[in-house]
């Protein structure tokens, strides 16, 4: 599989942009829908791997069951939602790896600690207050603050 951006989320139920419009979603999942649809609208090839039962397409975004990713994935950016462990059977090649933090520093982020502490991933959080907790807990971590991204679209 090759794409510009792969967003990976193993938390909660599977979803697509269409299912979000029909039944609603939690904030983190809704943010993934909004980010992925905006990036697709700008011409990027966007895949979301989550708990969907079957591959689907919604508003220019391709959704793939997390358990059905091919053995090798190449992308420009790999966006990993908090608490999501990457499947060990998949080899990921990414120019940039982002861990999205929507919570305070807690056990959700333990799967990412090594990647973050070794500088292989950038942690993107919602406030400097939140990011200070991560910097205190994980020496050497790289962080970026992007305030909450939810908008009135969905």
């Amino acid at each position: 599989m090759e794409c510009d951006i792969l967003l990976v989320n193993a938390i909660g139920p599977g979803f697509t942009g269409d299912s979000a419009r029909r039944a609603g979603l939690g904030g983190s999942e809704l943010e993934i829908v909004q980010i992925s649809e905006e990036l697709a609208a700008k011409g990027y090839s966007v895949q979301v791997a989550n708990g969907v039962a079957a591959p689907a397409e919604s508003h220019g975004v391709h959704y793939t069951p997390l358990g059905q990713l091919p053995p090798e994935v190449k992308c420009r950016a790999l966006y990993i939602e908090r608490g999501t462990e990457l499947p060990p059977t998949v080899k990921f090649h990414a120019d940039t790896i982002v861990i999205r933090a929507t919570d305070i520093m807690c056990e959700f982020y333990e799967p990412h600690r090594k990647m973050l502490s070794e500088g292989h991933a950038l942690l993107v959080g919602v406030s400097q207050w939140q990011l200070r907790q991560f910097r205190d807990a994980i020496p050497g971590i790289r962080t970026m603050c992007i305030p909450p991204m939810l908008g009135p679209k969905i």
Side-chain angles (χ1 to χ4, degrees):
M1 169 192 290
E2 288 192 37
C3 59
D4 292 320
I5 300 152
L6 172 63
L7 295 94
V8 184
N9 179 45
I11 306 297
F15 58 86
T16 67
D18 290 336
S19 67
R21 287 170 176 83
R22 279 193 312 273
L25 282 175
S28 298
E29 295 82 6
L30 184 56
E31 182 178 271
I32 290 171
V33 169
Q34 290 183 336
I35 290 169
S36 62
E37 288 182 3
E38 289 295 323
L39 290 167
K42 292 184 182 303
Y44 292 98
S45 166
V46 181
Q47 292 270 346
V48 173
N50 66 18
V52 292
E57 189 277 331
S58 174
H59 299 268
V61 178
H62 297 275
Y63 292 84
T64 302
L66 186 55
Q68 291 181 20
L69 284 172
E72 194 164 350
V73 174
K74 295 180 183 178
C75 56
R76 290 174 51 194
L78 175 60
Y79 175 111
I80 305 169
E81 187 66 24
R82 53 127 170 67
T84 295
E85 294 187 48
L86 295 176
T89 57
V90 179
K91 185 171 184 172
F92 292 91
H93 304 278
D95 297 335
T96 302
I97 301 173
V98 172
I99 308 296
R100 179 63 172 152
T102 54
D103 304 297
I104 61 170
M105 177 60 193
C106 62
E107 70 277 358
F108 284 142
Y109 300 96
E110 287 306 317
H112 315 301
R113 181 180 286 275
K114 184 173 192 264
M115 192 182 314
L116 290 165
S117 67
E118 293 177 353
H120 299 299
L122 172 70
L123 183 93
V124 175
V126 298
S127 72
Q128 290 301 332
W129 173 84
Q130 174 205 34
L131 293 175
R132 267 192 303 279
Q133 295 176 45
F134 285 92
R135 289 191 293 266
D136 290 346
I138 305 174
I141 189 173
R142 294 182 304 127
T143 62
M144 177 184 286
C145 182
I146 300 177
M149 296 183 233
L150 293 177
K153 288 186 131 188
I154 294 179

